[in-house]
Amino acid sequence: ITVEIPAGATVKQVLLYWEGFMAANTLGDETVTVSNGGPAVAVTGTPIGGPTYFFTGAHASVFRADISSLGLVGDGVTTLEISNLVYSYASNGAGVMVIYDDGSTDASIAVRDGSDLAFIGFAEPLKNTVPQTFAFPASTKDRTAQVSLFFASVSGTASGGTLRPTAIEITTNGPGGGVTVLNNLLDSVSGQEWDSFTISVDIPAQATTLTVQ
């Protein structure tokens, strides 16, 4: 996993996430190892989702670990290697979220995490994801939000499959609000079963919520 932090910025927090499927109804691997090119460090995560039945022989679980104190990520470019991720059905991947201070204006940061599985061919509650709404004070000026997203169990080109149709809906309220639909961005681009990326979203003046589904 490669992350790039602006030169001179101060890293405030580094959060590591990983996800996979167990063949039985049990939590997956809570311990992984992390390295930035030096000695590997064992990290134990906190379960934040699952085990959740997805299909026969596949129960999803997600873990999060705060690895800030390890000092593995600083300004500039850092490459992290995550290893020893073991699930009995599939180890779908890992992602890193870095919160940093670049000395510019203050920003509001909100994190929603856990496990939310969906596939169009399944019955509810696995047919749809749960909309996530972020609230913030109104402003008289247009603004920009950076929405960072992690997706696991993405069967696509890199994992030997074909592109599966997907849609990410982003909705803002207020007089200038609306719905933006981002189609077919998920294709296991970031790994064999993983996608992660950041989307810039226009927040019109007087808007107070942004919803992602």
Side-chain angles (χ1 to χ4, degrees):
I1 300 172
T2 299
V3 294
E4 184 173 358
I5 307 301
T10 301
V11 173
K12 309 297 287 186
Q13 191 172 27
V14 183
L15 299 174
L16 172 65
Y17 293 86
W18 62 93
E19 191 271 354
F21 292 160
M22 294 292 285
N25 185 22
T26 184
L27 284 171
D29 193 352
E30 67 175 8
T31 301
V32 298
T33 56
V34 185
S35 170
N36 65 354
V41 180
V43 173
T44 299
T46 300
I48 60 170
T52 303
Y53 172 84
F54 197 36
F55 54 86
T56 302
H59 298 78
S61 56
V62 183
F63 291 84
R64 179 189 63 221
D66 188 330
I67 62 172
S68 311
S69 62
L70 299 180
L72 297 174
V73 178
D75 64 339
V77 178
T78 301
T79 299
L80 297 175
E81 180 177 338
I82 316 300
S83 55
N84 295 323
L85 174 59
V86 180
Y87 283 77
S88 55
Y89 182 89
S91 300
N92 289 324
V96 171
M97 177 185 293
V98 182
I99 298 171
Y100 61 86
D101 181 2
D102 62 2
S104 63
T105 57
D106 291 341
S108 175
I109 300 173
V111 177
R112 300 290 175 83
D113 57 20
S115 179
D116 191 3
L117 290 82
F119 181 69
I120 194 172
F122 293 166
E124 296 291 8
L126 296 175
K127 188 179 181 66
N128 290 283
T129 59
V130 177
Q132 300 296 322
T133 298
F134 301 87
F136 37 81
S139 172
T140 57
K141 299 179 180 179
D142 294 343
R143 293 172 288 179
T144 301
Q146 303 295 324
V147 181
S148 298
L149 303 165
F150 288 161
F151 298 91
S153 183
V154 181
S155 181
T157 303
S159 53
T162 57
L163 178 69
R164 289 178 174 177
T166 58
I168 302 169
E169 293 186 358
I170 299 179
T171 305
T172 53
N173 71 344
V179 180
T180 299
V181 181
L182 305 172
N183 290 309
N184 300 327
L185 295 186
L186 307 186
D187 193 29
S188 64
V189 176
S190 304
Q192 289 198 11
E193 293 286 342
W194 188 269
D195 277 337
S196 59
F197 44 79
T198 299
I199 300 170
S200 294
V201 179
D202 293 331
I203 307 296
Q206 303 306 324
T208 57
T209 63
L210 180 152
T211 300
V212 182
Q213 184 177 20

